[in-house]
Amino acid sequence: MSQATVPSGSAAAPQEARRLRPLRAAIFGFGTVGSSVARILAECKPEGVELTHVFNRNVGRKRADWAGTAVQWSEDADAVLASDADVIVELMGGLDPAGSFIRRALEAGKSVVTANKKLIAFHGVELEKLAAQRGGHIKYGAAVAGGIPVIPGIEQGLAGDRIEKLEGILNGTCNFILSQMEAGAEYAPVLATAQQRGYAEADPTEDVCGFDARAKLAILMRLALRVEVDPDEIHPRPITEVTAVDFSYARDLGCTIRQVARAQKTNGAVAATVGPTLIDLHSPMAWSRGTENMVILSGHYGGDVVFSGHGAGGHPTAVAVVSDLIALAHGSRRVDIPSQTTRIGAEFEVPHYIRFLVNDRPGIVAEITGALARERINIRAIMQKAGYPANALPFVVTVEPCKSSALQRALASIRTMDCLLEPPLDLQMLE
């Protein structure tokens, strides 16, 4: 039997040649995750993978002898991209210059492993097409939920199902803050603790305002629901307005509060949202503490599947990055999951929790119920705790399932009331 040969000029030739030697990996960004990836490669020495280059600004202060004497440390991105590295491990984050480095690597026929959720959310389809055209691959198992294998699980373990809904806790920083507040802490000192421990950036906006979770949700929607959405169409709500009194009322309702990302596809229409949400204490998401992440996927045939584990931190994320490298070294390719460009055009119809802070006077409840009634929204309960002063009185109204657009119209009218000390806090409730 004759042995097939691979033409030297074909896109497959570099891939075939790499099977004869270890996959040469170059790390771009030697921060928390990058150094953890190098540490795993140095200590575990996975078969078929070799760390050859590290690129970082001011790389001299990053140099680590434990990474091995063969590693080349560089501040010259052009030189590393032009080197014999087979795969660029991009761990810098952000759209630029990381996006430029990734595109140049793919155009040169190299493969890419990245944890860059923002880049994949906005440009993932384009980058996958470029990789396929040039004979390389792009893998991003670390882009969602840190070290939890959600993306490989969807691509391989659940590809045979039709996922209709996904929901979960996708940001470890927010989960740490809210679970600490559930135990009685205040927002500001908990945020400071998260920053000290490296869970939150100096500017925490991406996390606490929901943009990080939004990017991850958009990625999961493409893979699980098979819809390509513009992440900017998902309007996240911040956790910064949640206070201790909200956790107190939530406990009375048998609930707690978590930042939840949700998406659902029904009869071709797609709904998606990110924000602080009341969840039943019996829900698996209520059990998630600290920096843990959780994703629940609901399949038409297979039912619910839950992924849970540490979603933040250098080591968990590095595990996913190294797993992608090992998969590439052993010839694994991403599963091509077709998706369709889709607009977000549906709404969730769920109960809502609305907390008011008022300077008390007669007629407040009547005005609120009137505004809700005009939008045909039924009230479920009105709750008022004792012990608060009349000039700063918090109370809660919960309403039956309704469309968010109808509730927002009612709240727009309510916000004109002269007794309000701050805008009402509206949180969806999962049952």
Side-chain angles (χ1 to χ4, degrees):
M1 181 181 293
S2 62
Q3 183 174 358
T5 60
V6 180
S8 59
S10 74
Q15 303 293 333
E16 292 295 324
R18 286 167 197 161
R19 295 179 186 177
L20 305 177
R21 56 169 171 75
L23 187 79
R24 294 188 287 249
I27 294 176
F28 273 53
F30 204 69
T32 302
V33 178
S35 60
S36 292
V37 169
R39 178 74 70 176
I40 294 174
L41 294 177
E43 293 181 356
C44 297
K45 296 179 173 56
E47 182 181 356
V49 181
E50 176 187 5
L51 177 61
T52 59
H53 298 78
V54 172
F55 163 77
N56 204 92
R57 289 178 296 179
N58 301 318
V59 76
R61 62 185 176 84
K62 296 280 190 175
R63 188 184 298 269
D65 293 339
W66 50 258
T69 57
V71 176
Q72 299 181 41
W73 301 79
S74 177
E75 297 180 16
D76 187 344
D78 293 338
V80 178
L81 287 169
S83 72
D84 61 357
D86 303 310
V87 57
I88 300 301
V89 183
E90 185 278 308
L91 300 171
M92 302 169 64
L95 295 179
D96 286 305
S100 174
F101 294 152
I102 286 176
R103 287 181 178 87
R104 289 171 59 190
L106 294 174
E107 286 169 354
K110 299 180 187 294
S111 291
V112 169
V113 170
T114 181
N116 193 329
K117 81 281 291 186
K118 191 171 186 179
L119 187 69
I120 297 302
F122 283 92
H123 302 290
V125 173
E126 163 207 339
L127 295 173
E128 288 174 7
K129 289 178 180 177
L130 177 58
Q133 291 168 359
R134 300 294 183 174
H137 306 286
I138 180 167
K139 294 179 79 70
Y140 44 86
V144 178
I148 308 170
V150 175
I151 289 177
I154 294 172
E155 292 180 332
Q156 299 173 32
L158 297 176
D161 204 347
R162 187 172 78 226
I163 307 300
E164 298 174 331
K165 181 177 70 173
L166 67 93
E167 57 191 22
I169 295 169
L170 301 180
N171 184 274
T173 300
C174 288
N175 206 50
F176 175 81
I177 291 171
L178 292 174
S179 60
Q180 293 291 308
M181 291 179 67
E182 180 184 15
E186 294 291 341
Y187 173 81
V190 174
L191 173 60
T193 299
Q195 290 169 325
Q196 291 167 5
R197 296 186 184 181
Y199 300 154
E201 301 290 339
D203 179 359
T205 302
E206 285 286 313
D207 293 321
V208 301
C209 290
F211 299 113
D212 176 84
R214 178 180 73 174
K216 296 171 182 176
L217 179 62
I219 295 171
L220 292 181
M221 289 173 68
R222 179 160 60 89
L223 299 175
L225 303 184
R226 306 190 179 188
V227 294
E228 297 171 31
V229 300
D230 181 353
D232 285 332
E233 288 190 13
I234 304 171
H235 302 292
R237 291 165 290 124
I239 68 166
T240 52
E241 297 170 352
V242 176
T243 66
V245 73
D246 297 307
F247 279 97
S248 179
Y249 276 115
R251 280 191 294 272
D252 291 345
L253 291 164
C255 297
T256 189
I257 302 171
R258 294 289 185 268
Q259 185 201 57
V260 176
R262 307 171 60 216
Q264 185 168 327
K265 184 179 180 181
T266 306
N267 298 324
V270 177
T273 184
V274 174
T277 304
L278 265 71
I279 54 178
D280 192 283
L281 289 173
H282 294 97
S283 165
M285 286 188 288
W287 311 337
S288 184
R289 296 285 190 277
T291 59
E292 292 178 350
N293 279 193
M294 180 174 290
V295 178
I296 304 173
L297 300 166
S298 300
H300 181 79
Y301 300 102
D304 289 349
V305 177
V306 180
F307 295 85
S308 179
H310 291 289
H315 287 338
T317 305
V319 168
V321 171
V322 174
S323 297
D324 278 348
L325 283 171
I326 294 172
L328 282 176
H330 291 270
S332 173
R333 301 183 178 186
R334 290 195 61 255
V335 176
D336 185 15
I337 297 179
S339 57
Q340 293 184 332
T341 302
T342 306
R343 300 293 301 270
I344 295 175
E347 298 181 56
F348 290 106
E349 292 194 36
V350 295
H352 286 250
Y353 161 105
I354 312 162
R355 189 254 297 154
F356 300 92
L357 184 64
V358 300
N359 183 5
D360 199 16
R361 62 163 173 77
I364 290 176
V365 171
E367 292 178 46
I368 290 172
T369 56
L372 293 170
R374 285 191 291 275
E375 296 295 336
R376 297 185 175 275
I377 298 172
N378 292 328
I379 290 177
R380 176 176 288 182
I382 298 176
M383 307 169 65
Q384 180 178 322
K385 288 180 174 290
Y388 290 93
N391 63 352
L393 180 66
F395 70 96
V396 165
V397 174
T398 61
V399 300
E400 297 290 349
C402 63
K403 289 187 175 181
S404 295
S405 56
L407 181 58
Q408 291 309 310
R409 289 192 296 269
L411 291 177
S413 174
I414 291 170
R415 289 188 190 98
T416 64
M417 294 171 58
D418 60 2
C419 60
L420 291 180
L421 300 179
E422 59 185 39
L425 175 67
D426 163 36
L427 303 181
Q428 294 186 2
M429 302 174 67
L430 291 186
E431 295 184 318

